[in-house]
């Protein structure tokens, strides 16, 4: 079994009932299929929950700076991507890190081919301008966050603070 699976907003069930998954964003399903199909038409900004935690702590004033004014803040790692491109990046990094993937290739599918209970929003890429101004920095790029997440998962080491 490849250990590079993640879903938006909830942990991914693993064999034996264990749950893991600290990367928010829909990643590839990489079980034993020779070709997995991934949705290409929809874009988002996948977010490593470790980075989200750091932003939340900073907003709460637990990072040395004063607490931010109460409000609604959106946070996501920098760099919008399609789910297809995100899946391809995950598979490439897993291979680079030595994960034995059993998927030969990832095939893109269109929004129309991707069954959903409701139509997706036209644009689900979160804007982070407000939180960037409060934190004084942009979120780190998605590729760096993804690399840290996969390295942590594949080596069973905790994420860096």
């Amino acid at each position: 079994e490849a250990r590079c699976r993640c879903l938006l907003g909830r942990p991914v069930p693993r064999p034996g009932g264990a749950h893991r998954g600290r990367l928010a964003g829909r990643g590839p399903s990489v079980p034993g299929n020779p070709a997995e199909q991934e949705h290409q038409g929809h874009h988002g900004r996948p977010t490593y929950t470790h980075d989200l935690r750091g932003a939340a702590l900073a907003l709460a004033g637990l990072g040395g700076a004063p607490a931010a004014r109460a409000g609604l803040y959106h946070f996501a790692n920098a760099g919008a991507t399609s789910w297809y491109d995100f899946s391809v990046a995950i598979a490439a990094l897993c291979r680079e890190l030595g994960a034995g993937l059993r998927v030969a290739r990832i095939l893109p599918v269109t929004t129309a081919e991707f069954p959903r209970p409701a139509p997706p929003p036209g644009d689900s890429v979160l804007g982070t301008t407000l939180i960037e101004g409060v934190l004084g920095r942009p979120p780190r790029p998605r590729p760096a966050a993804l690399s840290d997440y996969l390295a942590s998962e594949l080596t069973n080491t905790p994420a860096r603070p």
Side-chain angles (χ1 to χ4, degrees):
E1 176 205 38
R3 296 187 53 203
C4 302
R5 289 191 268 177
C6 50
L7 291 175
L8 178 61
R10 62 180 189 256
V12 177
R14 297 271 179 130
H19 289 278
R20 296 198 54 175
R22 296 184 301 252
L23 185 73
R26 190 174 186 290
S29 170
V30 282
N33 295 347
E36 289 291 323
Q37 289 197 334
E38 275 303 325
H39 179 55
Q40 72 172 354
H42 196 69
H43 287 75
R45 283 178 66 176
T47 304
Y48 186 18
T49 55
H50 181 77
D51 292 349
L52 177 60
R53 180 191 71 195
L57 291 173
L59 288 174
L62 299 174
R69 196 175 127 173
L72 178 64
Y73 297 90
H74 294 290
F75 182 86
N77 286 110
T81 186
S82 72
W83 296 134
Y84 170 74
D85 290 336
F86 189 48
S87 299
V88 169
I90 290 169
L93 270 171
C94 284
R95 287 184 181 102
E96 183 180 310
L97 294 170
L101 297 180
R102 291 180 284 178
V103 59
R105 59 191 170 136
I106 299 170
L107 305 173
V109 296
T110 65
T111 301
E113 296 171 303
F114 194 77
R116 300 184 73 121
D123 182 11
S124 64
V125 178
L126 287 177
T128 56
T129 304
L130 180 60
I131 198 166
E132 288 177 28
V134 171
L135 296 178
R137 61 175 172 77
R140 75 176 168 150
R142 172 189 34 81
L146 176 60
S147 181
D148 283 354
Y149 165 75
L150 290 176
S152 172
E153 283 292 298
L154 294 171
T155 60
N156 288 316
T157 56
R160 296 184 289 187

